[in-house]
Amino acid sequence: MRFPILLLLLVAIAYAQLCVSQAGRLYLASGALYSIEWNNATAISGPQGVEAALEGAGWALLVPQSGGAYEAPGVVASSCINPQGVLNYAKIYNTPWGPAAPVGLAYYGVAERDGDYYPEPYLGSEVAGCFRLLNFTAVSLSPLGPTAGYSIQLNAYVRSNSGHIYWAQELVRYSPSGFELLINLWNMTSSVSTLRGVRGLGSLAFYGEDLYYYYLAPLPNLTAGCMEIRASGDSLEFLLNGTLMDKVVLPEAGLQIAAEPSLNGRGLPMDLELVLGGYGGVADVALVERGSLELKLYVAVGTSLVPPPSVWSIGASTREIAIAAASPRGAEAFVDKGEPQMSQLWAQPLCVYYLNGTRYCGRTEYLVSLALPNGSRLLWAPRGANLTFHLPTIRQGGLELRPEASELNLTVEGPLRLRPEYEAYFKVYVDALGSAVELWLPNGSRLTASQFYRAIAGVAYEPLYFAGGGREIAVAHPLNLTVVYTAVYRGRADDLLGLPSPLSVAVLQCGNATTYSLAGLDGEYNATYPRVVEVCSAHLFSIPISLYLSPLALLLFTRKLFRRRNVY
């Protein structure tokens, strides 16, 4: 809530930026150390292609083996000068009652591993702090004596697009009057807090020279709770147990929560705190009498809330302090009776990426890049791993890509860039007299109209060419073709006795056009119509008695007539 006077005097100077961040397109120096943070699976690519695949969301370290520009969508890379320096600002204060400090969980954006310090900053949209009172009691101490009371504080720094820095606090406080919620907002861009154009349920007030925002609300009795601070656009939301308690709108844009090994305008580390302190005012020192306070701190990474990658036992920003000790149990801490000590409670192991297709995540692994026509598949594998890739057939609209081999089998000995061979097949749609023919033909193959000869209901359809093309077409892309035919109605007209029937008429109708053919002496007819794209109709009007039989019939009739006359 208020700030250590000593620190304000030491740094009434200006804002000290110890970290430099870049995003998206990264300019990296060979052999330098960078910390990176990302929220969704992505990759880092250099001049030779993909050099690192980043799964899910999280943090890691970069040590590029080659300097230059890298494309890293969704990745924020930070380089920090002397990141461990911010830890010196976490002080234990000597009070009349004993050593005290903001005790609990503090994330400075820096971790110690095997004696080396690594920057691990955070820039995101949400933080949460959960607590549970386990038979816990504490008093707040002041020159007037002890009073039942304490505060559990979630404190976070917020940066805007303009570079302004704010300090947001959400406190659950206990006093003899019961529990209450206190929300504070300070401008930490310079040595004096000024606020203009701030809107919320609360009010503005002065604390010395500092103008700050506050909102106070009573709470029912609590044994546990979760506080959340969310940053989005121009607003900060403060929630308790999932319920929105206050929404503060600032005359800013692009608000994001930041925790990094840098100093703000007051010379304080930009830490994220979930700590125990005194109630406030003159009673700013808490003394744990009995029981434990369980604390869990979270930051939003991707779509999940996860513990920070490293946490320390003492905060540095809030004035309220406690005579207590914090001990880790997994990714949480318990605050009990004791004296505060500055220590790292945990540091998650982080992967180190060298941007040469190699990383170290507890073991050395190599990047295997499988470049397929529809995108790359990336995975990490140790030396000696046996991998089998089943290669898919890929269809994209009228294009089908077929692998030359159905699978790849290999043993990993180092970084691999694989590009299996594929052959392109194109979809060819042929309209043959209104009947669809779908073909998949390899690139470069040739298609001829003569392949689509048809005979329907006694009519032969002899292919001429493809509409808009020729008799033969090279396949180099998807095609929609229509075959143009000559319709031929050909045959022999016979009478009822099976003899040729000259002068019979064959009729061929194609659309609105009609053509005729008169059978010759041998009964043969041949009706044709060119440039046909639809089925025609045909009919033969055959003379039932062949003309060859007509003289013979006349002779027989005359003979019969004379026979009758001779009888009478």
Side-chain angles (χ1 to χ4, degrees):
M1 301 189 315
R2 291 175 294 169
F3 316 107
I5 302 298
L6 177 60
L7 285 176
L8 294 180
L9 293 176
L10 287 175
V11 207
I13 337 168
Y15 168 48
Q17 177 70 43
L18 301 180
C19 291
V20 176
S21 297
Q22 46 185 322
R25 186 173 178 82
L26 310 180
Y27 296 91
L28 307 176
S30 175
L33 174 66
Y34 301 86
S35 66
I36 58 172
E37 177 189 350
W38 68 98
N39 286 324
N40 296 288
T42 185
I44 302 177
S45 301
Q48 305 304 317
V50 176
E51 300 291 0
L54 305 177
E55 301 104 337
W59 293 270
L61 300 174
L62 287 185
V63 183
Q65 298 304 289
S66 298
Y70 291 83
E71 297 298 329
V75 176
V76 177
S78 302
S79 57
C80 299
I81 301 173
N82 188 32
Q84 67 269 31
V86 295
L87 301 175
N88 297 327
Y89 291 84
K91 297 187 179 299
I92 298 175
Y93 297 89
N94 292 317
T95 75
W97 307 278
V103 177
L105 302 174
Y107 171 38
Y108 288 89
V110 59
E112 183 270 325
R113 295 184 180 87
D114 299 325
D116 293 322
Y117 290 85
Y118 299 92
E120 296 172 358
Y122 172 75
L123 190 65
S125 60
E126 181 180 358
V127 295
C130 298
F131 64 88
R132 190 159 60 108
L133 306 176
L134 303 172
N135 198 29
F136 179 79
T137 61
V139 294
S140 287
L141 305 173
S142 74
L144 301 178
T147 304
Y150 54 85
S151 64
I152 304 169
Q153 306 186 14
L154 176 63
N155 303 322
Y157 285 94
V158 179
R159 178 182 282 130
S160 70
N161 282 349
S162 64
H164 293 156
I165 296 175
Y166 297 88
W167 191 41
Q169 293 185 282
E170 185 172 356
L171 294 79
V172 170
R173 303 200 302 184
Y174 175 75
S175 72
S177 301
F179 286 91
E180 62 186 8
L181 177 74
L182 176 63
I183 293 171
N184 292 330
L185 184 66
W186 312 76
N187 187 337
M188 304 292 276
T189 309
S190 61
S191 58
V192 177
S193 175
T194 58
L195 291 174
R196 296 289 184 272
V198 177
R199 305 193 312 274
L201 298 178
S203 306
L204 296 179
F206 278 97
Y207 179 79
E209 291 184 293
D210 293 312
L211 182 64
Y212 73 103
Y213 172 91
Y214 77 94
Y215 171 68
L216 187 65
L219 295 174
N221 288 335
L222 296 173
T223 58
C226 282
M227 299 174 282
E228 294 176 71
I229 301 175
R230 298 176 181 172
S232 177
D234 63 352
S235 65
L236 294 173
E237 294 182 344
F238 297 85
L239 298 90
L240 179 64
N241 295 332
T243 299
L244 180 64
M245 305 302 290
D246 193 12
K247 180 176 181 178
V248 181
V249 179
L250 298 170
E252 297 279 7
L255 296 179
Q256 287 186 293
I257 297 172
E260 61 188 31
S262 296
L263 303 180
N264 61 34
R266 300 205 175 202
L268 294 172
M270 293 181 58
D271 62 343
L272 171 64
E273 302 174 340
L274 179 62
V275 293
L276 173 70
Y279 177 81
V282 295
D284 55 7
V285 181
L287 173 66
V288 176
E289 290 188 323
R290 64 184 173 86
S292 296
L293 172 64
E294 180 185 17
L295 298 177
K296 297 179 181 180
L297 182 61
Y298 302 97
V299 295
V301 176
T303 58
S304 303
L305 286 171
V306 300
S310 60
V311 165
W312 300 76
S313 59
I314 290 176
S317 293
T318 185
R319 182 177 184 272
E320 286 73 40
I321 52 182
I323 301 172
S327 58
R329 295 184 196 174
E332 59 187 76
F334 287 81
V335 178
D336 306 283
K337 291 177 66 173
E339 292 187 358
Q341 302 214 355
M342 179 58 171
S343 63
Q344 184 172 253
L345 298 181
W346 72 74
Q348 300 172 7
L350 294 185
C351 293
V352 182
Y353 293 83
Y354 299 97
L355 297 189
N356 60 355
T358 307
R359 75 175 183 182
Y360 183 81
C361 294
R363 65 178 182 180
T364 299
E365 295 179 325
Y366 300 104
L367 181 65
V368 179
S369 171
L370 178 65
L372 298 177
N374 61 344
S376 294
R377 296 182 182 179
L378 305 171
L379 62 90
W380 295 94
R383 183 183 297 274
N386 295 313
L387 303 179
T388 298
F389 295 99
H390 297 283
L391 302 180
T393 295
I394 300 165
R395 183 172 290 187
Q396 301 170 337
L399 170 64
E400 184 173 271
L401 300 170
R402 301 177 184 178
E404 292 188 358
S406 60
E407 67 179 34
L408 291 178
N409 296 283
L410 53 93
T411 300
V412 177
E413 297 295 339
L416 288 172
R417 301 182 190 274
L418 306 174
R419 188 179 294 275
E421 295 294 329
Y422 272 77
E423 185 176 8
Y425 282 71
F426 294 105
K427 181 180 179 179
V428 179
Y429 177 89
V430 180
D431 182 350
L433 299 173
S435 176
V437 178
E438 183 178 298
L439 304 171
W440 288 93
L441 300 177
N443 182 36
S445 61
R446 307 191 73 82
L447 190 66
T448 60
S450 61
Q451 296 175 235
F452 299 95
Y453 173 85
R454 296 287 186 272
I456 303 172
V459 180
Y461 296 88
E462 299 174 353
L464 287 175
Y465 51 80
F466 294 111
R471 292 180 176 274
E472 186 176 78
I473 289 181
V475 177
H477 52 79
L479 294 170
N480 284 300
L481 303 174
T482 299
V483 183
V484 179
Y485 292 89
T486 294
V488 179
Y489 184 39
R490 179 187 298 120
R492 193 184 81 166
D494 293 328
D495 65 4
L496 296 176
L497 299 177
L499 298 175
S501 181
L503 302 183
S504 294
V505 178
V507 179
L508 179 63
Q509 184 170 0
C510 298
N512 294 324
T514 304
T515 185
Y516 304 91
S517 175
L518 190 66
L521 295 177
D522 57 359
E524 297 287 336
Y525 59 87
N526 187 4
T528 63
Y529 194 83
R531 295 181 294 282
V532 169
V533 295
E534 295 180 348
V535 174
C536 302
S537 61
H539 189 73
L540 175 64
F541 295 93
S542 179
I543 297 175
I545 298 177
S546 174
L547 295 180
Y548 292 118
L549 295 178
S550 297
L552 178 59
L554 180 61
L555 176 61
L556 293 174
F557 177 76
T558 305
R559 182 179 177 184
K560 184 177 182 180
L561 182 62
F562 278 107
R563 277 182 181 176
R564 288 179 179 173
R565 288 182 178 174
N566 292 335
V567 171
Y568 297 99

